[in-house]
Amino acid sequence: MHSYDEDLTQQVMDHLLHRLRLDPPPLGRLGDHQELTLALKDAIGRAPQPPADVLRTYTDSLEPTVVSCDHPAFLAFIPGAPTKAAALFDMVLSASSLHGVSWLEASGAVAAENQVLRLFADLAGLPAAAGGCFVSGGSAGNLSALVVARDTGRHRRGLDERAPVRIAVSDQVHSSVGNTLRILGVEPLVVPTSDHRLTGEALRAALDTAERGGGAPVVAVVATAGTTNAGIIDDLEGVAEQTRARDLWLHIDAAYGGAALFVPELRERLRGIEHADSLVVDPHKWMFAPFDCGALLYRDPKLARAVHTQDASYLDAIHGADGADDETEWNPSDYAYHLTRRPRGLPLWFSLAVHGTDAYRDAVARGADIARRTARLVERTEGLELLREPELTVVLVRRTGWQPEDYYAWSKRLLASGTAFVTPSVWEGETVARLAFLHPDITEETVRTILDSLVDEG
Ligand SMILES: *Cc1c(COP(=O)(O)O)cnc(C)c1O
């Protein structure tokens, strides 16, 4: 099983080349449970099977039921649109079994990942000491960062390690932060937003009230740079003013919006991000990296090390048992709750190096530009209403007179016809159409087709 097989290699490579050349790839469709069960019935047995047969099961029955997130008209949730260079380099990682646990085992991979993290840190305006690691995504980043926020908060207040503490979040915070707080056993202090945006003023009022009311101390605040549903950026500067004045940990969830750091006009809106104690950016979203790639940065990585470094004798070798310098020998396992990990920052490193950061700036800007142009198109279309001016790349649209089921039926029709994958969302209690742009190659013609289908199919 472990020796090189020319025939097997060729077959898989042929498939890879075929997939890479599709431009665009087929959009894909929803799978049928019974059909899939049937297709997989004899897939794994005691005896070997010809690779060609197994590949055919994959290409004919499985692959078509995975919607292509790299199709330019994938506008649901938050799309992924890896560059070809990044996608190709992901294969290098896999074929080379590259791993990225520690400096001892993977210094070259870790050094390259850290170069990318440094680039993010510089764009965000974090200090020279800032650092972290790549994790599987925003959820893993939020969890890893908030453990450090909680434990550091307790430590600074002289509380014992089980003492109840609270973390302030807005009522618009990502669901993964809610999950995180439940996992951590930390009570949220939910701060109401006006116009879906956490402001310094609202935070100040909530913290003052919480202080007067007694209860567990608030040790950290989570701000969002680009809500997933609507792309709204919190008042980071105002929030940072409060966290700095009160010695609170500031975690900024920029999983989706962090890519805006690359575009000077958008960067303006992220003012205050430089005050983050921890920061999450998902390159597998608007930075065109393959799944699963989240970047996690700490202002002071020492604090993260104190919380995350795993203590097991078989790991002594990676933690400088020989007296090596911890600052230069960087172990990604010390900065999140993971241990074994692939160096998932490397495909992004390769693509950034190949294309240069100007190309990234332009591609990120293009998503915001198409969102703005779509907004103008919506305004000019009778029967459609723009619900909010897009701040990043999400456009929310009401089709006058539609009920929730109309939006869901429309979404299904669009996917079935191979036109686009657009899923409805809820905005202020109402089901609406939501278009999330990212792919730089989406055309205005496709956007027009999608908007027309909203109007025509009433
Ligand atoms: C997508 C997203 C997350 C979760 O990231 P995953 O990579 O899906 O785990 C968290 N916060 C925000 C704001 C997001 O947009």
Side-chain angles (χ1 to χ4, degrees):
M1 290 196 288
H2 293 79
S3 52
Y4 180 71
D5 179 334
E6 181 65 41
D7 195 39
L8 173 69
T9 305
Q10 203 54 57
Q11 288 181 45
V12 175
M13 285 300 180
D14 286 349
H15 172 71
L16 283 177
L17 290 175
H18 166 73
R19 179 62 174 73
L20 282 167
R21 286 186 184 119
L22 293 173
D23 187 20
L27 190 59
R29 60 176 164 79
L30 186 68
D32 175 80
H33 183 74
Q34 242 173 340
E35 278 174 28
L36 287 169
T37 306
L38 194 66
L40 289 167
K41 192 165 70 72
D42 301 316
I44 300 176
R46 293 190 61 188
Q49 296 190 65
D53 293 355
V54 183
L55 253 180
R56 204 170 314 111
T57 300
Y58 173 70
T59 56
D60 294 1
S61 302
L62 307 182
E63 194 183 50
T65 68
V66 180
V67 179
S68 297
C69 65
D70 54 344
H71 189 293
F74 185 117
L75 307 177
F77 314 112
I78 300 283
T83 65
K84 294 296 184 224
L88 282 162
F89 212 75
D90 210 45
M91 297 179 210
V92 174
L93 248 65
S94 298
S96 319
S97 304
L98 284 196
H99 62 97
V101 179
S102 66
W103 189 262
L104 175 68
E105 297 163 283
S107 47
V110 173
E113 285 190 302
N114 284 353
Q115 189 176 27
V116 179
L117 292 174
R118 188 66 248 158
L119 173 68
F120 287 173
D122 286 341
L123 289 170
L126 291 175
C133 64
F134 283 92
V135 292
S136 65
S139 307
N142 286 334
L143 175 55
S144 297
L146 291 179
V147 179
V148 181
R150 179 196 65 183
D151 290 4
T152 305
R154 281 178 180 148
H155 184 72
R156 280 192 192 150
R157 285 161 185 76
L159 301 168
D160 75 68
E161 55 176 46
R162 311 246 176 249
V165 292
R166 286 188 285 177
I167 291 181
V169 301
S170 90
D171 56 17
Q172 301 291 305
V173 78
H174 190 266
S175 50
S176 63
V177 173
N179 275 354
T180 285
L181 297 187
R182 240 177 309 117
I183 294 167
L184 298 184
V186 167
E187 199 65 38
L189 174 71
V190 179
V191 184
T193 54
S194 52
D195 196 31
H196 307 266
R197 192 167 174 263
L198 177 64
T199 62
E201 199 42 46
L203 179 63
R204 189 187 56 72
L207 291 172
D208 284 348
T209 307
E211 233 162 76
R212 279 196 303 271
V218 176
V219 296
V221 177
V222 180
T224 309
T227 57
T228 321
N229 199 32
I232 297 164
I233 301 163
D234 285 345
D235 166 24
L236 302 180
E237 243 180 354
V239 169
E241 223 171 87
Q242 293 304 315
T243 54
R244 282 150 61 85
R246 297 163 189 256
D247 192 26
L248 303 176
W249 183 282
L250 174 58
H251 175 67
I252 298 184
D253 178 359
Y256 157 44
L261 288 169
F262 277 81
V263 184
E265 305 87 78
L266 299 176
R267 170 69 178 83
E268 223 2 63
R269 297 192 208 150
L270 298 177
R271 249 183 307 132
I273 200 169
E274 62 276 10
H275 298 303
D277 292 295
S278 51
L279 172 67
V280 161
V281 180
D282 261 2
H284 67 209
K285 289 179 173 166
W286 201 5
M287 283 282 299
F288 318 112
F291 302 129
D292 42 10
C293 183
L296 168 60
L297 278 162
Y298 299 92
R299 167 176 299 275
D300 182 355
K302 274 199 310 292
L303 299 173
R305 274 208 301 276
V307 172
H308 284 298
T309 300
Q310 294 192 29
D311 184 15
S313 13
Y314 83 100
L315 295 174
D316 284 352
I318 70 173
H319 287 129
D322 58 353
D325 180 356
D326 253 358
E327 291 294 328
T328 56
E329 302 198 350
W330 197 265
N331 296 310
S333 57
D334 292 345
Y335 301 98
Y337 64 79
H338 54 207
L339 188 56
T340 303
R341 61 182 285 279
R342 65 203 307 268
R344 50 173 70 86
L346 268 192
L348 175 60
W349 170 83
F350 182 74
S351 185
L352 275 166
V354 165
H355 292 294
T357 53
D358 283 359
Y360 273 77
R361 176 199 62 205
D362 295 347
V364 171
R366 165 115 183 111
D369 184 51
I370 190 96
R372 277 192 296 271
R373 283 188 291 134
T374 301
R376 301 292 78 77
L377 215 51
V378 168
E379 286 174 331
R380 290 201 300 271
T381 308
E382 193 149 345
L384 300 185
E385 295 164 63
L386 181 69
L387 292 167
R388 189 192 179 87
E389 183 60 28
E391 269 181 72
L392 295 174
T393 66
V394 174
V395 183
L396 296 169
V397 184
R398 174 190 294 132
R399 161 63 161 87
T400 315
W402 267 15
Q403 299 303 310
E405 55 273 22
D406 297 319
Y407 289 99
Y408 283 95
W410 162 75
S411 166
K412 267 194 175 158
R413 281 196 300 272
L414 270 185
L415 180 60
S417 66
T419 314
F421 185 44
V422 188
T423 44
S425 185
V426 172
W427 177 251
E428 298 184 344
E430 176 191 352
T431 300
V432 299
R434 174 179 174 278
L435 285 71
F437 295 99
L438 275 199
H439 201 304
D441 292 344
I442 178 130
T443 63
E444 201 152 333
E445 195 191 328
T446 305
V447 173
R448 206 176 286 269
T449 306
I450 295 168
L451 295 183
D452 285 348
S453 73
L454 260 174
V455 180
D456 295 345
E457 296 176 14

